[in-house]
Amino acid sequence: MSEALEPGAAIGILGGGQLGRMLSVAASRLGLRTHIYDPGAEPPAGHVAETVTTAEWDDEVALRAFAGSVDVITYEFENIPAATLDLLESLRPVRPNRRALAVSQDRLTEKDFLTGLGLTTAPYRDVPTLAALEAALAEIGPQGILKTRRLGYDGKGQARLKGPGDAATAYAEMGGAEAILEGFVQFSHEVSVIAARGVTGEVACFDPGENLHEAGILRTTTVPARLAPGQHMDAILLAGKILNALDYVGVMGVELFVTPKGLVVNEIAPRVHNSGHWTQAGCTVDQFEQHIRAVAGWPLGNGQRYADVVMENLIGEDVAKVPALAKAADVQIHLYGKGAPRPGRKMGHVNRITRG
Amino acid sequence: MSEALEPGAAIGILGGGQLGRMLSVAASRLGLRTHIYDPGAEPPAGHVAETVTTAEWDDEVALRAFAGSVDVITYEFENIPAATLDLLESLRPVRPNRRALAVSQDRLTEKDFLTGLGLTTAPYRDVPTLAALEAALAEIGPQGILKTRRLGYDGKGQARLKGPGDAATAYAEMGGAEAILEGFVQFSHEVSVIAARGVTGEVACFDPGENLHEAGILRTTTVPARLAPGQHMDAILLAGKILNALDYVGVMGVELFVTPKGLVVNEIAPRVHNSGHWTQAGCTVDQFEQHIRAVAGWPLGNGQRYADVVMENLIGEDVAKVPALAKAADVQIHLYGKGAPRPGRKMGHVNRITRG
């Protein structure tokens, strides 16, 4: 553990939402302090962090003070402005590294990277113009999803095309943002692998979880996922390949479509991932601690699963179910300390242990 | 859940050591904020609490501000000055209640309370004078432990008597503090029950754990404990009896000696307890969340055990073992964020899952 942070060292976390909150708790278990940087007032992670800085991403004074107070910097979301990273990288190690962010911030770069590794993705085309979109539809099929290359999540910045006639409307919806067309993949279900890589290059994967989305937002993750033994191994090898290619340090979420022809990579997220929350109930070391271990230069923990778990997100008014859930046996509650519920707002999640 | 705190409410915690730290983390899972009050600078719990007040126990201004900022008050240790409690009780609910503190702050009151419930304790005598000590030794046997009635923990404020000739020296060691003599109990091993009682009177107990002490400090707790089925039930019923008699709200640690003639109550602690740390690795809801649920007026969680666990304290220089422990499978690490290790200082603990 030559590079390992000693107890008492501090980890800076960019973003203070629920992921930062649970990362901060995990850091505390390892005797590490956390400093949250978030432009929003009263970030949820602030309730369990030693220090909170509320400042904009371009506030150089605040960024310098933040970096000066910590030993390593990580993040809970991938859309950190490039100039912010330029400054922070010059002051402290930022993990996962810049390349992982560059790849995952841009859907086109991401797809090029993944196919370059020999992995299968949905068919896709760069569509810088409406004419390019029309040509792409002619090539990869009349249906697909037009997505902005950058800054989309939870179904935002996306337009579904049911036929060539939708092209102009969908293109207009992008509002001039660079976009790519993704063809549809015929898949039976989606799984994700939460994979971790340490500073020495060791890789550890949690068991794949099976994801169910509603309206573009993750609803549940179930372990074990429905996967043939060969697919289970494929999923893990594929995740390891991605992490190694990026010289990645930290936890990554890798979303996969399960098809009769094999696994298709949907997208990667260079951070702890909503589909990995089940690890809090089913493993000795959860994804949050695994990420902290990695970025702190510790050895990775044992991610072996010892329980069957269904993770269910509490979205918007779902929080009204908490009093009933609190009475249920085998339900672990995780609330994020957010204010008023709004439609689509992730307020918490529960891990239901279905076989311990 | 008529009395239940809503998410966003705040819990005040008196004492910011490792117990307050882990209580604060548990509160965050339920969407509750915490405010730590501790006279010492930089308390470990401050790393994971929203607010920290550093002030003395007699600082009325600070105590009022603290109470005004929270919805309910609890504590991580039992030796809170009476005047502090008088003030806080007048401002906010304090849970567990005053009676539980009064009983556990004074070994004589505690023993009288327990025997009054029909439970067995070590033989004991109030020894206000050296003559009373000599008379007590004549009555309950020539060997025993002289203990101050108040403020002893981890083997401090105690003198062992090997025969009547030790009486004068032992009495002098108490330095004039009120003391009781406890006779020896012939026991095979010690177990403890971590029991919880909610505001509606419901009681839930975790499985008894078997404790091993060294030099008066808890070294390991192992679940399951060695107990005959009848003793297992006795332990739980006995703990429930104590909680009900005190109209208790919160988690209590009940230490028991296992003897051929049955269970003997060693002592009770009106708080989360070191011997309950294993619940972090073996249960859906751990002792810290159970305590928070109780004091917040939530229903108690399911404390059923699904793993065999050995909890081991990391005391003083034991922290040097952390790099090796971090590599071990099935070991969950919990460090307390304290500074330099000192002999006898509890720096952290590990939960080793021996059967998942």
Side-chain angles (χ1 to χ4, degrees):
Chain A
M1 301 215 327
S2 57
E3 280 199 70
L5 294 191
E6 297 283 334
I11 296 182
I13 301 176
L14 302 173
Q18 64 268 20
L19 301 180
R21 179 177 172 100
M22 294 183 279
L23 285 169
S24 190
V25 164
S28 81
R29 287 200 298 267
L30 303 183
L32 302 168
R33 297 173 297 119
T34 53
H35 185 156
I36 302 293
Y37 191 105
D38 196 306
E42 296 187 32
H47 299 165
V48 286
E50 191 190 32
T51 315
V52 179
T53 293
T54 305
E56 296 300 326
W57 296 122
D58 60 359
D59 184 335
E60 191 178 320
V61 173
L63 288 168
R64 283 186 183 279
F66 167 76
S69 76
V70 301
D71 298 282
V72 64
I73 296 170
T74 188
Y75 43 86
E76 62 148 20
F77 77 119
E78 52 269 46
N79 293 312
I80 302 152
T84 306
L85 286 168
D86 287 339
L87 176 58
L88 293 176
E89 277 186 337
S90 72
L91 300 166
R92 285 291 180 275
V94 176
R95 295 173 180 155
N97 64 28
R98 192 64 175 267
R99 177 123 189 269
L101 277 170
V103 162
S104 60
Q105 282 181 344
D106 183 324
R107 293 179 197 279
L108 181 62
T109 311
E110 180 179 307
K111 291 273 196 296
D112 288 346
F113 163 73
L114 293 167
T115 55
L117 286 180
L119 305 177
T120 308
T121 67
Y124 66 98
R125 291 293 184 279
D126 182 15
V127 287
T129 61
L130 176 57
L133 174 57
E134 284 163 347
L137 287 168
E139 267 181 67
I140 68 174
Q143 301 191 337
I145 304 179
L146 191 65
K147 298 180 178 179
T148 54
R149 281 175 56 177
R150 290 168 172 276
L151 279 172
Y153 67 96
D154 285 351
K156 292 166 193 164
Q158 304 195 358
R160 199 178 174 109
L161 292 104
K162 294 182 179 167
D166 293 345
T169 314
Y171 191 78
E173 275 183 42
M174 298 299 108
E178 292 181 304
I180 73 166
L181 176 69
E182 292 182 15
F184 282 119
V185 174
Q186 292 295 326
F187 62 96
S188 54
H189 52 292
E190 185 198 288
V191 300
S192 55
V193 178
I194 307 300
R197 189 168 176 276
V199 290
T200 60
E202 58 172 334
V203 171
C205 295
F206 292 99
D207 243 9
E210 182 170 335
N211 301 327
L212 193 70
H213 293 82
E214 272 174 27
I217 302 178
L218 183 67
R219 186 81 235 175
T220 65
T221 300
T222 301
V223 282
R226 286 173 295 159
L227 282 175
Q231 288 176 322
H232 188 281
M233 188 51 71
D234 280 352
I236 284 166
L237 291 175
L238 172 165
K241 193 169 192 175
I242 295 170
L243 270 64
N244 284 327
L246 293 170
D247 194 22
Y248 194 83
V249 173
V251 160
M252 174 183 279
V254 180
E255 292 183 7
L256 304 168
F257 296 131
V258 181
T259 83
K261 293 179 187 166
L263 301 172
V264 173
V265 185
N266 178 25
E267 62 179 25
I268 62 176
R271 53 171 168 78
V272 289
H273 197 257
N274 194 166
S275 69
H277 292 359
W278 67 266
T279 58
Q280 295 171 316
C283 301
T284 305
V285 166
D286 66 20
Q287 69 162 344
F288 302 100
E289 180 171 333
Q290 198 71 296
H291 185 76
I292 295 292
R293 280 172 171 252
V295 302
W298 283 44
L300 298 180
N302 174 14
Q304 200 185 326
R305 184 172 64 82
Y306 56 73
D308 291 356
V309 184
V310 179
M311 186 290 302
E312 183 180 351
N313 274 334
L314 301 176
I315 299 167
E317 291 297 338
D318 287 347
V319 281
K321 294 192 275 186
V322 167
L325 289 164
K327 292 178 192 165
D330 297 323
V331 168
Q332 203 182 61
I333 296 175
H334 293 266
L335 297 178
Y336 303 153
K338 295 182 181 177
R342 289 192 303 262
R345 191 177 201 194
K346 290 176 180 172
M347 304 298 293
H349 69 274
V350 294
N351 288 316
R352 199 179 293 271
I353 297 171
T354 54
R355 191 189 58 83
Chain B
M1 302 216 332
S2 56
E3 280 197 70
L5 294 191
E6 298 281 336
I11 296 182
I13 301 176
L14 302 173
Q18 64 267 23
L19 301 180
R21 179 177 171 101
M22 294 184 278
L23 285 169
S24 191
V25 164
S28 82
R29 286 200 297 267
L30 303 183
L32 301 168
R33 296 174 297 120
T34 52
H35 185 156
I36 303 293
Y37 191 105
D38 197 305
E42 296 187 33
H47 300 165
V48 286
E50 191 190 30
T51 315
V52 179
T53 293
T54 305
E56 297 300 325
W57 296 121
D58 60 0
D59 184 335
E60 192 178 319
V61 172
L63 289 167
R64 284 186 183 278
F66 168 75
S69 77
V70 300
D71 298 282
V72 65
I73 296 169
T74 189
Y75 43 87
E76 62 148 23
F77 77 118
E78 53 270 46
N79 292 314
I80 303 152
T84 306
L85 286 168
D86 287 340
L87 176 60
L88 293 176
E89 276 186 336
S90 72
L91 300 166
R92 285 291 181 278
V94 177
R95 294 171 181 158
N97 64 28
R98 192 63 175 268
R99 176 122 191 270
L101 278 170
V103 162
S104 60
Q105 281 180 345
D106 183 324
R107 292 179 199 278
L108 181 62
T109 311
E110 181 179 306
K111 291 273 196 297
D112 287 346
F113 163 72
L114 293 167
T115 54
L117 286 179
L119 305 176
T120 308
T121 67
Y124 67 98
R125 291 292 185 278
D126 183 16
V127 287
T129 61
L130 176 57
L133 174 58
E134 284 163 348
L137 287 168
E139 268 182 64
I140 67 174
Q143 301 191 338
I145 304 178
L146 190 66
K147 297 180 176 178
T148 54
R149 281 175 58 178
R150 293 169 170 276
L151 278 172
Y153 66 95
D154 285 350
K156 294 167 192 162
Q158 305 194 359
R160 201 180 172 107
L161 292 103
K162 294 182 179 167
D166 293 344
T169 312
Y171 190 78
E173 275 184 38
M174 299 298 110
E178 292 182 303
I180 73 167
L181 176 69
E182 292 182 15
F184 281 120
V185 175
Q186 292 295 328
F187 62 94
S188 54
H189 52 292
E190 185 198 289
V191 301
S192 55
V193 178
I194 306 301
R197 189 169 176 276
V199 291
T200 60
E202 59 172 334
V203 171
C205 296
F206 292 98
D207 244 9
E210 181 169 336
N211 301 327
L212 193 70
H213 293 83
E214 273 176 25
I217 301 178
L218 183 67
R219 186 82 234 176
T220 64
T221 301
T222 301
V223 283
R226 286 173 295 158
L227 282 175
Q231 289 176 322
H232 189 279
M233 186 53 68
D234 280 353
I236 285 166
L237 292 176
L238 173 164
K241 194 171 193 174
I242 294 170
L243 270 63
N244 285 326
L246 293 170
D247 194 22
Y248 193 83
V249 172
V251 159
M252 174 184 278
V254 180
E255 291 183 8
L256 303 168
F257 296 132
V258 181
T259 83
K261 293 181 187 166
L263 301 173
V264 172
V265 185
N266 178 24
E267 63 179 23
I268 63 176
R271 52 171 170 78
V272 289
H273 197 256
N274 194 165
S275 69
H277 292 359
W278 68 266
T279 59
Q280 296 171 316
C283 300
T284 306
V285 166
D286 67 21
Q287 68 163 347
F288 302 100
E289 180 172 332
Q290 197 72 298
H291 185 77
I292 295 292
R293 281 174 171 251
V295 303
W298 282 45
L300 297 180
N302 175 14
Q304 200 186 324
R305 184 172 64 82
Y306 56 72
D308 292 356
V309 184
V310 178
M311 186 290 301
E312 182 179 353
N313 274 335
L314 301 175
I315 299 168
E317 291 296 339
D318 287 348
V319 282
K321 293 191 276 185
V322 167
L325 289 165
K327 291 179 194 165
D330 297 323
V331 169
Q332 204 181 60
I333 296 175
H334 293 267
L335 297 179
Y336 304 153
K338 295 182 182 178
R342 290 192 302 263
R345 191 178 201 194
K346 290 177 179 171
M347 303 298 292
H349 68 273
V350 293
N351 288 316
R352 199 179 295 268
I353 297 172
T354 54
R355 191 190 55 82

